[in-house]
Amino acid sequence: MKWFSYIVGLLLLVIDQLVKSAVSNQIALGTVKSFIPGVLSLTNLRNDGAAWSILSGNQIFFYLITVVALVVLIYLLVTQRQHLLYQWGLTLMITGTLGNFIDRIRLKYVVDMFQIDFFNFPIFNIADMCLTFGVIILFIAIIRDERIEG
């Protein structure tokens, strides 16, 4: 079962890169195209910072943080609890981290494309979704274990 999460992570990484490439090639930079009217649009945005372009232009900082994060996440995946929720959470976090790191190395920015239309939220990509769901799953696993042990 452990390998299944790794295969899914690899597939999500490939899908992330393919979607970023398609958006970069098919949608002009800064253009917004309605996907689900009033809910979700597609755009082509270059983000050289974090969410809401925080720390924009600090690529060296992002390289260092990403390498440290990957080392820690991989170490935890290999050495720590192998409960299914931990495994999935860490695998998704590694996938998302790698997806955006590939962009930063290759392009010097991250390609974002999903825009929520009904409230102000940062434009995001599949790697960001992997990171978010990975953190949520890991949080649930930690809370679950605390309740069982406590």
Side-chain angles (χ1 to χ4, degrees):
M1 190 59 128
K2 178 187 341 188
W3 295 104
F4 182 69
S5 69
Y6 299 164
I7 292 168
V8 170
L10 182 60
L11 286 172
L12 287 169
L13 181 61
V14 169
I15 291 168
D16 173 67
Q17 292 299 301
L18 290 173
V19 169
K20 288 174 177 176
S21 177
V23 164
S24 294
N25 292 326
Q26 301 296 319
I27 299 176
L29 187 62
T31 301
V32 178
K33 295 190 177 214
S34 183
F35 186 68
I36 302 172
V39 178
L40 184 68
S41 294
L42 292 177
T43 188
N44 180 359
L45 179 73
R46 295 177 179 174
N47 184 358
D48 66 349
W52 286 288
S53 296
I54 296 169
L55 299 173
S56 182
N58 290 297
Q59 292 307 310
I60 300 296
F61 173 74
F62 287 115
Y63 295 151
L64 293 173
I65 291 297
T66 302
V67 169
V68 170
L70 284 170
V71 168
V72 169
L73 291 169
I74 291 169
Y75 172 80
L76 290 172
L77 183 64
V78 171
T79 63
Q80 299 300 310
R81 302 175 186 177
Q82 291 303 311
H83 185 275
L84 192 61
L85 287 177
Y86 285 95
Q87 178 185 325
W88 277 100
L90 291 168
T91 299
L92 287 172
M93 290 172 68
I94 291 167
T95 299
T97 303
L98 281 172
N100 285 336
F101 192 48
I102 289 168
D103 282 11
R104 288 189 193 283
I105 289 173
R106 196 169 61 86
L107 305 169
K108 308 294 185 236
Y109 55 84
V110 174
V111 177
D112 289 328
M113 75 283 303
F114 298 112
Q115 178 177 317
I116 296 177
D117 294 333
F118 54 92
F119 67 94
N120 186 20
F121 191 79
I123 298 170
F124 57 96
N125 58 43
I126 293 171
D128 297 335
M129 288 189 278
C130 289
L131 276 165
T132 301
F133 285 111
V135 168
I136 291 168
I137 291 168
L138 197 58
F139 182 73
I140 291 168
I142 291 168
I143 296 295
R144 180 186 148 277
D145 281 356
E146 298 240 339
R147 287 185 33 209
I148 291 171
E149 293 173 5

mmCIF file of all heavy atoms in Angstrom, residues 57-65:
data_model
loop_
_atom_site.group_PDB
_atom_site.id
_atom_site.type_symbol
_atom_site.label_atom_id
_atom_site.label_comp_id
_atom_site.label_asym_id
_atom_site.label_seq_id
_atom_site.Cartn_x
_atom_site.Cartn_y
_atom_site.Cartn_z
ATOM 1 N N GLY A 57 10.536 37.624 -5.635
ATOM 2 C CA GLY A 57 11.885 37.860 -6.122
ATOM 3 C C GLY A 57 12.993 37.253 -5.288
ATOM 4 O O GLY A 57 14.163 37.404 -5.617
ATOM 5 N N ASN A 58 12.680 36.572 -4.225
ATOM 6 C CA ASN A 58 13.688 35.974 -3.346
ATOM 7 C C ASN A 58 13.920 34.505 -3.689
ATOM 8 O O ASN A 58 13.748 33.620 -2.857
ATOM 9 C CB ASN A 58 13.263 36.110 -1.881
ATOM 10 C CG ASN A 58 13.331 37.535 -1.403
ATOM 11 O OD1 ASN A 58 14.405 38.119 -1.363
ATOM 12 N ND2 ASN A 58 12.185 38.104 -1.066
ATOM 13 N N GLN A 59 14.326 34.230 -4.918
ATOM 14 C CA GLN A 59 14.461 32.845 -5.389
ATOM 15 C C GLN A 59 15.466 32.036 -4.577
ATOM 16 O O GLN A 59 15.231 30.875 -4.288
ATOM 17 C CB GLN A 59 14.814 32.819 -6.872
ATOM 18 C CG GLN A 59 13.697 33.300 -7.776
ATOM 19 C CD GLN A 59 12.383 32.582 -7.539
ATOM 20 O OE1 GLN A 59 12.324 31.357 -7.510
ATOM 21 N NE2 GLN A 59 11.319 33.329 -7.349
ATOM 22 N N ILE A 60 16.610 32.622 -4.212
ATOM 23 C CA ILE A 60 17.613 31.895 -3.431
ATOM 24 C C ILE A 60 17.005 31.413 -2.118
ATOM 25 O O ILE A 60 17.201 30.273 -1.703
ATOM 26 C CB ILE A 60 18.866 32.773 -3.162
ATOM 27 C CG1 ILE A 60 19.528 33.201 -4.469
ATOM 28 C CG2 ILE A 60 19.850 32.060 -2.254
ATOM 29 C CD1 ILE A 60 20.085 32.067 -5.298
ATOM 30 N N PHE A 61 16.227 32.277 -1.466
ATOM 31 C CA PHE A 61 15.545 31.906 -0.232
ATOM 32 C C PHE A 61 14.614 30.716 -0.470
ATOM 33 O O PHE A 61 14.613 29.755 0.305
ATOM 34 C CB PHE A 61 14.753 33.109 0.299
ATOM 35 C CG PHE A 61 13.877 32.793 1.473
ATOM 36 C CD1 PHE A 61 14.418 32.590 2.727
ATOM 37 C CD2 PHE A 61 12.501 32.673 1.319
ATOM 38 C CE1 PHE A 61 13.610 32.288 3.817
ATOM 39 C CE2 PHE A 61 11.682 32.373 2.388
ATOM 40 C CZ PHE A 61 12.246 32.176 3.645
ATOM 41 N N PHE A 62 13.839 30.758 -1.557
ATOM 42 C CA PHE A 62 12.909 29.667 -1.851
ATOM 43 C C PHE A 62 13.658 28.369 -2.183
ATOM 44 O O PHE A 62 13.211 27.283 -1.827
ATOM 45 C CB PHE A 62 11.946 30.047 -2.975
ATOM 46 C CG PHE A 62 10.909 31.039 -2.536
ATOM 47 C CD1 PHE A 62 10.879 32.312 -3.082
ATOM 48 C CD2 PHE A 62 9.969 30.718 -1.579
ATOM 49 C CE1 PHE A 62 9.928 33.237 -2.672
ATOM 50 C CE2 PHE A 62 9.016 31.629 -1.158
ATOM 51 C CZ PHE A 62 8.998 32.901 -1.707
ATOM 52 N N TYR A 63 14.788 28.474 -2.873
ATOM 53 C CA TYR A 63 15.588 27.268 -3.157
ATOM 54 C C TYR A 63 16.039 26.623 -1.851
ATOM 55 O O TYR A 63 15.906 25.409 -1.676
ATOM 56 C CB TYR A 63 16.827 27.602 -3.998
ATOM 57 C CG TYR A 63 16.571 28.122 -5.387
ATOM 58 C CD1 TYR A 63 17.472 28.982 -5.988
ATOM 59 C CD2 TYR A 63 15.441 27.768 -6.107
ATOM 60 C CE1 TYR A 63 17.259 29.476 -7.273
ATOM 61 C CE2 TYR A 63 15.214 28.259 -7.388
ATOM 62 C CZ TYR A 63 16.134 29.112 -7.963
ATOM 63 O OH TYR A 63 15.912 29.588 -9.223
ATOM 64 N N LEU A 64 16.580 27.429 -0.952
ATOM 65 C CA LEU A 64 17.084 26.897 0.316
ATOM 66 C C LEU A 64 15.967 26.291 1.166
ATOM 67 O O LEU A 64 16.098 25.175 1.672
ATOM 68 C CB LEU A 64 17.806 27.997 1.100
ATOM 69 C CG LEU A 64 19.100 28.519 0.484
ATOM 70 C CD1 LEU A 64 19.616 29.720 1.256
ATOM 71 C CD2 LEU A 64 20.148 27.415 0.431
ATOM 72 N N ILE A 65 14.875 27.019 1.297
ATOM 73 C CA ILE A 65 13.745 26.528 2.087
ATOM 74 C C ILE A 65 13.192 25.233 1.494
ATOM 75 O O ILE A 65 12.856 24.298 2.219
ATOM 76 C CB ILE A 65 12.633 27.601 2.183
ATOM 77 C CG1 ILE A 65 13.102 28.774 3.028
ATOM 78 C CG2 ILE A 65 11.339 27.032 2.727
ATOM 79 C CD1 ILE A 65 13.397 28.437 4.476
#
